[in-house]
Amino acid sequence: MLKASLLSIAALAAMTLPATAEGCPGLRDGPRGRVTEVTDGDTVHLDNGLIVRLVGTQAPKLALGRPGFEDWPMGEEARGRLIDMALDKPVLLRYGGAQTDRYGRILAQMFVLDGARELWVQEAMVASGFARVYSYADNRACLASLLAAEGRARAGRLGIWRDPYYSVLEAARPDALVRRQGQYALVEGRVLLADKARGRVYLNFGRNWTEDFTAVIGERALPLFAESGPDPLALGGALIRVRGWIDDRDGPRIDVTHPEQIEVLATQ
């Protein structure tokens, strides 16, 4: 009973922690505008014509009339959360990396302006459990704060973390991972072997590399690991969490393009 009470307190704290600009310093100021439309939990339209993708996060997707595409669980709830937070409110965009994507959308951290106070939308969405961290090699700003917020929300089973669709998957269950091919997921397990071949680092989670789960760190990603760590070749025996899109090539795998896709949970 005490454990359940403490969990409830932790969940409440995660929901009420202020998501302020101080948690995401060092950004470049961009345009201002007012939110006129919320497409889903990570995309908004502004009155100046800009379409903004809330970089650093991924909320549950909605089909939005696209053929062959189904709503992800809790997609409407995530959209509703963002509507409550930002619709019809003035916002400031700030950049920490690439400023646009291939669709012409603005990639920015978004702050709702309320007098002198700024609400950091990405952190608020992640902390409430209605988005998870989703990053790119060319847009890595503020990820430490977002990962911390996600960890609190996941521990408190807030929002999407109550739904099995978003559960952290086990690296030791390659059969289950193959069934998630084409999906973005978090996978956790202990690295059996870290090895380098043909310019890439392979983090193998099982003895049969043609069937077991592997995280593959590409050649262009290795300089980023050298700059900020961890050393991927030192991860043999470590317990880690990997996030990314699951593919099925010689068993289930995730391609890693930057260090923040890997969280080291224990070194032994």
Side-chain angles (χ1 to χ4, degrees):
M1 194 62 142
L2 177 59
K3 183 177 181 180
S5 299
L6 290 174
L7 185 60
S8 298
I9 292 171
L12 180 61
M15 286 188 287
T16 56
L17 282 171
T20 62
E22 286 74 18
C24 192
L27 303 177
R28 308 183 302 278
D29 281 357
R32 296 172 182 250
R34 184 175 293 272
V35 176
T36 58
E37 180 184 344
V38 175
T39 304
D40 56 23
D42 56 36
T43 310
V44 303
H45 294 238
L46 304 186
D47 60 354
N48 54 18
L50 297 178
I51 301 175
V52 183
R53 172 69 171 81
L54 302 182
V55 71
T57 65
Q58 181 195 64
K61 297 300 181 186
L62 296 173
L64 303 173
R66 291 173 289 182
F69 196 100
E70 296 182 356
D71 290 353
W72 294 8
M74 302 194 73
E76 285 293 350
E77 291 89 337
R79 178 173 179 267
R81 178 73 174 181
L82 187 53
I83 286 172
D84 292 342
M85 195 181 305
L87 186 62
D88 294 327
K89 295 178 182 176
V91 298
L92 168 64
L93 306 181
R94 290 192 172 106
Y95 301 118
Q99 297 183 189
T100 58
D101 66 9
R102 58 180 174 171
Y103 305 108
R105 299 178 299 184
I106 299 298
L107 300 174
Q109 302 291 336
M110 189 170 81
F111 299 84
V112 171
L113 304 176
D114 181 12
R117 182 173 178 268
E118 298 181 1
L119 172 70
W120 180 16
V121 174
Q122 273 94 327
E123 187 181 37
M125 287 293 291
V126 171
S128 61
F130 287 104
R132 53 188 171 177
V133 177
Y134 180 78
S135 55
Y136 296 89
D138 60 0
N139 240 311
R140 300 166 59 205
C142 313
L143 292 178
S145 294
L146 291 176
L147 286 166
E150 182 190 277
R152 295 192 298 268
R154 193 167 55 245
R157 302 190 71 246
L158 303 180
I160 64 173
W161 303 111
R162 296 192 301 269
D163 192 298
Y165 182 86
Y166 302 100
S167 296
V168 178
L169 305 178
E170 296 179 27
R173 294 285 311 279
D175 54 333
L177 295 178
V178 167
R179 292 195 293 270
R180 293 291 193 102
Q181 181 182 358
Q183 296 182 15
Y184 186 84
L186 278 61
V187 180
E188 191 173 300
R190 195 170 292 279
V191 179
L192 180 67
L193 175 68
D195 195 18
K196 188 173 184 179
R198 300 183 299 279
R200 300 176 178 181
V201 171
Y202 294 83
L203 303 180
N204 297 302
F205 290 77
R207 297 187 183 281
N208 188 340
W209 60 269
T210 64
E211 296 181 3
D212 292 319
F213 175 65
T214 306
V216 182
I217 303 173
E219 187 173 2
R220 280 193 275 185
L222 292 177
L224 300 179
F225 280 85
E227 290 173 9
S228 60
D231 176 2
L233 289 174
L235 292 178
L239 179 66
I240 68 173
R241 183 184 302 127
V242 186
R243 66 184 64 226
W245 294 93
I246 296 179
D247 197 0
D248 184 13
R249 286 178 286 169
D250 293 324
R253 61 186 272 175
I254 287 177
D255 287 328
V256 176
T257 63
H258 55 287
E260 289 82 3
Q261 285 181 259
I262 295 177
E263 298 171 79
V264 180
L265 307 179
T267 56
Q268 296 297 329

